[in-house]
Amino acid sequence: MTAAQLNQEFGIADQLQIVEGKSLFPMIEITNEQASARISVYGGQVLSFKPAGESSDLLFVSEKAYYQPGKAIKGGTPVCWPWFGPDPEGKGRASHGFVRNRMWTLLSTEAVSAGETKVRLGVSANEETKAIWPYSFELVIEIVVADQLSISLITQNTGDKAFEITQALHTYFQTGDIGKVEVLGLENAGYIDKVDNGAEKTQTGIINITQEVDRIYTNVKPELSVQDGGLGRRIRISSAGSRTAVVWNPWTDISIKSGDLTDDAYQEFVCVETVNAADDMIGVAPGSEYTLKAVYAIEKG
């Protein structure tokens, strides 16, 4: 459906409209009493979220992000599913699965109140997905835009075979100065250091970003935060359905080599991802479902 057709069916007067974005991708634009947001139907990801009165966006989106069929949009809240990272079976399938680079279906929009808006999008199994991953499923993302941003990723097994997944909300948080960023809540946690050939280590103190960071933290707390001295704010991350978290910043070399990042983009974001990864694999039995949830709030100071 075109953006105009989607808007006719799902638009909400004075609160939600669907417009044509880059490469004709439909974009859901929300402005309610508590916040504004932009959601891409392609990829099922949030690209912008600002609580009322905030001057800076919660989320980073690259100036050079691809808006092309088959490519992921660099920034916002990409969805990695049904696997996180490289193809777990070594079959040459794309990293991070196959839902972040395809069009989702807009299922519903709802004005829960004047200050809260709910959007649901989904991806269902078809012959194309089964050629990649041979299971029947319904994947739904539920996004609630209020003074906080809430994202729930719901996996439903609609087939007769159990399956296992790893997954992530690969969220890019905008930062004012990466040198003034601290990630809190992972002190003393064990982690897998992907920059150091998967070495298992233990976090000492808070996390500062002074070089490339790519770590899977295990047995994490459900409350983490990002202290951003450059923007004078703290981002609180509350999660459910997850025992692992990923902290990622590409630093200089990867930024320079990436076609969809500017050379200095590493200074402008940090990814703190709510995930099921490493040994935090999720089994989903036929007829059952599993929910991964993250809630993001901005606080002063």
Side-chain angles (χ1 to χ4, degrees), residues 232-280:
R233 69 183 188 182
R234 176 176 291 200
I235 300 167
R236 290 201 175 274
I237 307 162
S238 304
S239 64
S242 168
R243 294 188 291 107
T244 43
V246 168
V247 178
W248 180 67
N249 181 280
W251 210 246
T252 55
D253 288 352
I254 293 176
S255 287
I256 291 169
K257 292 174 183 176
S258 295
D260 54 357
L261 286 173
T262 61
D263 290 356
D264 60 356
Y266 70 95
Q267 300 180 43
E268 301 171 19
F269 73 88
V270 64
C271 290
V272 181
E273 307 168 35
T274 299
V275 306
N276 300 116
D279 62 355
D280 186 18

Side-chain angles (χ1 to χ4, degrees), residues 83-85 88 164-167 190-192 194 200 215-219 243-246 275-282:
W83 59 82
F84 172 81
E164 287 189 326
I165 59 171
T166 54
Q167 58 185 340
Y191 68 91
I192 299 165
K194 296 173 70 177
E200 296 187 10
R215 302 172 183 170
I216 302 174
Y217 286 85
T218 57
N219 298 313
R243 294 188 291 107
T244 43
V246 168
V275 306
N276 300 116
D279 62 355
D280 186 18
M281 296 186 70
I282 303 302

Side-chain angles (χ1 to χ4, degrees), residues 6 13 16 21 83 92 133 255 274 277 296 300:
L6 288 170
L16 181 152
W83 59 82
W133 191 66
S255 287
T274 299
Y296 307 119
K300 296 295 184 184

Side-chain angles (χ1 to χ4, degrees), residues 189-225:
Y191 68 91
I192 299 165
D193 191 344
K194 296 173 70 177
V195 176
D196 190 15
N197 299 311
E200 296 187 10
K201 302 179 180 179
T202 300
Q203 179 65 38
T204 302
I206 61 176
I207 301 170
N208 299 110
I209 311 296
T210 59
Q211 59 188 343
E212 181 186 351
V213 175
D214 192 356
R215 302 172 183 170
I216 302 174
Y217 286 85
T218 57
N219 298 313
V220 305
K221 302 173 184 177
E223 300 284 339
L224 305 176
S225 63

